[in-house]
């Protein structure tokens, strides 16, 4: 199989990640639970995992990282447990994933929070002046929330500048790093990030079912899920203390340790080596697609501000049909449809077509995988163009 669906989840994982997951799953260590010694060992492992993540994202205090069930969970926590007051507002970009936009729509519906969407055009994708104008003219804005990179077109948002503007106007900044953690540098201090949501299973090369949320010194959240945290067990009420207050129920230690191992692998391999490999293949893919006149690629194609994610359509073909044919007949795994981000399809003009076909590259992608996709697209086109 040729795997080109790394924006959904990376595959395969580094061998050390599989091993860590297996060893931890077989062991008795259970942080905050179980027998004293096993629990202590589990707590130590958990602490190391927090520090590993803190290092990658330049987080000054690892205790401000809570492990979650994934990036969707982290974003819901950040948005729904934010201490909103009636009349408050939030700003988001036009390319958000449902994991961010749906909780925002929910707080708008249920708590009366206003939300502003900064418009996108291909010619002028992420206009800083539009962010600034909103921040200047709407004093009720409390949070700016954006993805770091679009999961549909791969475009990287100017997060350094957005974070700077948020700080300048005294607002908090929530970054969804689902598409950038392990792909691009993410530095909470340099980017002025107050809340950072990351998944384990994408470019941190961990397993599914785990992620993290960093809550900076300036941000305070209410509790979200209520239940046992292993601490303060004799009390009836729980408190949003970091990190335990957001790690409710039995936490998935094997997944957390495997994610941390993925982070170690990213650091050992080096972000710049990963980026170089992926960008070379991205350039190859874009160049090959440009040679097929029936293919339209969405969004800009400048690899300097793009993650290795490419959305395209094939003239007169439904994206879903292309996706299914590629998998069933050519063994190429990628995604077709809306990718849980209809706002991005509205922005780039693919919503009425049923979305796009999306190919996404990871560290284990090889030039052969790209060539297989191009060959298959040409074969599909020649089959459908040739006279019956
Ligand atoms: C930009 C973006 N945000 C959030 C998510 C949600 O991540 P997860 O499915 O790991 O919860 C995704 C997943 O594709 C994503 O691409």
């Amino acid at each position: 199989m040729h795997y080109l669906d790394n924006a959904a989840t990376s595959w395969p994982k580094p061998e050390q990640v599989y091993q860590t997951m297996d060893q931890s799953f077989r062991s008795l260590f259970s942080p905050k639970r179980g027998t004293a010694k096993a629990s202590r060992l589990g707590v130590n492992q958990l602490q190391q995992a927090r520090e590993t993540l803190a290092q990658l994202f330049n987080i000054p205090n690892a205790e401000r990282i809570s492990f979650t069930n994934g990036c969707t969970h982290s974003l819901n926590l950040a948005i729904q447990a934010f201490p909103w007051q009636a009349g408050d507002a939030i700003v988001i970009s036009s390319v958000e994933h449902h994991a961010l936009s749906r909780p925002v729509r929910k707080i708008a519906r249920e708590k009366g929070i206003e939300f502003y969407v900064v418009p996108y055009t291909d010619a002028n994708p992420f206009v800083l002046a539009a962010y600034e104008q909103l921040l200047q003219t709407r004093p009720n804005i409390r949070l700016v929330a954006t993805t770091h990179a679009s999961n549909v077109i791969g475009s990287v948002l100017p997060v350094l500048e957005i974070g700077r503007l948020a700080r300048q106007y005294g607002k908090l900044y929530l970054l969804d790093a689902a598409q950038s953690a392990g792909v691009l540098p993410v530095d909470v201090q340099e980017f002025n990030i107050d809340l950072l949501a990351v998944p384990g299973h994408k470019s941190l090369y961990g397993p599914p079912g785990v992620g993290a949320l960093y809550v900076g010194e300036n941000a305070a959240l209410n509790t979200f899920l209520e239940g046992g945290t292993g601490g303060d067990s004799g009390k009836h009420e729980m408190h949003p203390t970091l990190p335990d207050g957001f790690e409710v129920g039995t936490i998935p230690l094997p997944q957390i340790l495997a994610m941390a191992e993925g982070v170690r692998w990213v650091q050992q391999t080096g972000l710049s080596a990963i980026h170089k490999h992926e960008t070379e293949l991205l350039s190859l893919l874009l160049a090959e697609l440009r040679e097929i006149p029936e293919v339209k690629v969405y969004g800009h194609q400048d690899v300097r501000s793009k993650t290795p994610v490419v959305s395209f359509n094939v003239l007169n073909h439904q994206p879903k049909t292309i996706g299914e044919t590629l998998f069933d007949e050519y063994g190429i795994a990628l995604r077709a449809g809306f990718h849980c981000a209809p706002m991005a399809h509205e922005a780039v003009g693919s919503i009425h077509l049923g979305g796009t076909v999306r190919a996404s590259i990871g560290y284990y992608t090889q030039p052969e995988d790209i060539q297989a996709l191009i060959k298959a697209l040409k074969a599909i086109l020649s089959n459908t163009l040739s006279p019956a």
Side-chain angles (χ1 to χ4, degrees):
M1 185 177 61
H2 297 281
Y3 187 76
L4 288 169
D5 199 12
N6 291 278
T9 197
S10 60
W11 187 84
K13 311 294 179 182
E15 196 48 41
Q16 66 204 67
V17 170
Y18 292 126
Q19 281 170 10
T20 302
M21 178 94 177
D22 185 59
Q23 278 161 14
S24 171
F25 193 30
R26 287 171 195 279
S27 84
L28 256 181
F29 304 164
S30 167
K32 305 186 245 174
R33 311 279 199 283
T35 63
K37 186 169 179 222
S39 173
R40 262 199 322 276
L41 288 167
V43 169
N44 288 345
Q45 291 176 326
L46 198 57
Q47 185 53 26
Q48 278 169 20
R50 269 188 238 287
E51 277 160 17
T52 303
L53 260 76
Q55 225 181 25
L56 183 66
F57 303 120
N58 196 22
I59 289 171
N61 179 357
E63 291 296 304
R64 301 198 71 89
I65 300 171
S66 294
F67 292 113
T68 64
N69 295 338
C71 196
T72 301
H73 181 180
S74 301
L75 289 166
N76 270 271
L77 176 49
I79 294 164
Q80 295 202 52
F82 193 84
W84 296 110
Q85 288 171 0
D88 285 346
I90 178 170
V91 181
I92 64 176
S93 86
S94 318
V95 294
E96 301 303 338
H97 188 278
H98 276 326
L100 191 151
S101 62
R102 283 185 169 164
V104 167
R105 288 175 202 277
K106 182 177 159 82
I107 57 163
R109 219 170 39 237
E110 295 181 0
K111 297 187 179 173
I113 305 306
E114 283 183 83
F115 72 94
Y116 301 104
V117 181
V118 176
Y120 169 105
T121 59
D122 272 344
N124 216 350
F126 306 110
V127 188
L128 282 171
Y131 283 90
E132 180 148 29
Q133 202 206 357
L134 277 170
L135 291 168
Q136 246 170 14
T137 56
R138 314 281 175 177
N140 59 337
I141 291 170
R142 290 189 60 204
L143 186 63
V144 178
T146 73
T147 187
H148 193 166
S150 163
N151 67 309
V152 174
I153 49 175
S155 303
V156 177
L157 278 73
V159 293
L160 179 69
E161 291 80 3
I162 295 173
R164 203 176 280 149
L165 279 175
R167 182 59 50 94
Q168 184 186 330
Y169 286 90
K171 317 298 177 187
L172 298 183
Y173 186 30
L174 161 63
L175 188 74
D176 170 3
Q179 293 295 328
S180 60
V183 177
L184 302 168
V186 176
D187 183 323
V188 300
Q189 299 187 61
E190 191 187 355
F191 298 176
N192 287 308
I193 295 167
D194 298 293
L195 294 153
L196 175 72
V198 296
H201 68 114
K202 295 185 194 278
S203 296
L204 298 182
Y205 291 85
V210 66
L213 178 71
Y214 159 72
V215 181
E217 300 280 347
N218 297 327
L221 300 179
N222 297 322
T223 57
F224 184 50
L225 292 175
E226 299 264 337
T229 59
D232 280 349
S233 230
K235 297 196 180 130
H236 292 302
E237 300 292 329
M238 67 170 280
H239 298 282
T241 46
L242 282 162
D244 297 2
F246 302 108
E247 293 176 350
V248 185
T250 305
I251 60 172
L253 187 64
Q255 282 91 329
I256 292 170
L257 300 186
M259 167 170 70
E261 197 55 39
V263 171
R264 271 178 220 117
W265 175 86
V266 166
Q267 284 169 317
Q268 284 153 11
T269 310
L271 264 187
S272 52
I274 294 172
H275 187 255
K276 181 171 180 288
H277 173 75
E278 294 181 348
T279 304
E280 276 167 16
L281 292 185
L282 173 63
S283 302
L284 173 68
L285 174 60
L286 289 170
E288 292 283 2
L289 288 175
R290 248 180 254 124
E291 297 296 311
I292 310 176
E294 294 84 358
V295 166
K296 172 178 168 54
V297 175
Y298 293 87
H300 75 281
Q301 297 184 30
D302 183 346
V303 297
R304 285 169 305 178
S305 53
K306 195 167 159 67
T307 54
V309 174
V310 177
S311 254
F312 61 92
N313 269 319
V314 181
L315 188 68
N316 297 330
H317 289 74
Q318 293 285 330
K320 271 228 154 7
T321 317
I322 293 285
E324 279 163 16
T325 309
L326 285 171
F327 188 75
D328 295 346
E329 293 177 27
Y330 299 92
I332 295 167
L334 40 59
R335 282 282 160 109
F338 297 113
H339 322 295
C340 297
M343 295 173 78
H345 292 281
E346 284 160 9
V348 299
S350 51
I351 192 88
H352 63 291
L353 301 170
T356 55
V357 184
R358 182 186 74 181
S360 50
I361 291 162
Y363 187 72
Y364 292 109
T365 309
Q366 293 301 318
E368 295 74 24
D369 301 315
I370 308 290
Q371 298 301 357
L373 170 62
I374 298 300
K375 206 169 146 196
L377 287 173
K378 286 180 178 165
I380 292 171
L381 278 164
S382 74
N383 288 346
T384 49
L385 293 180
S386 55

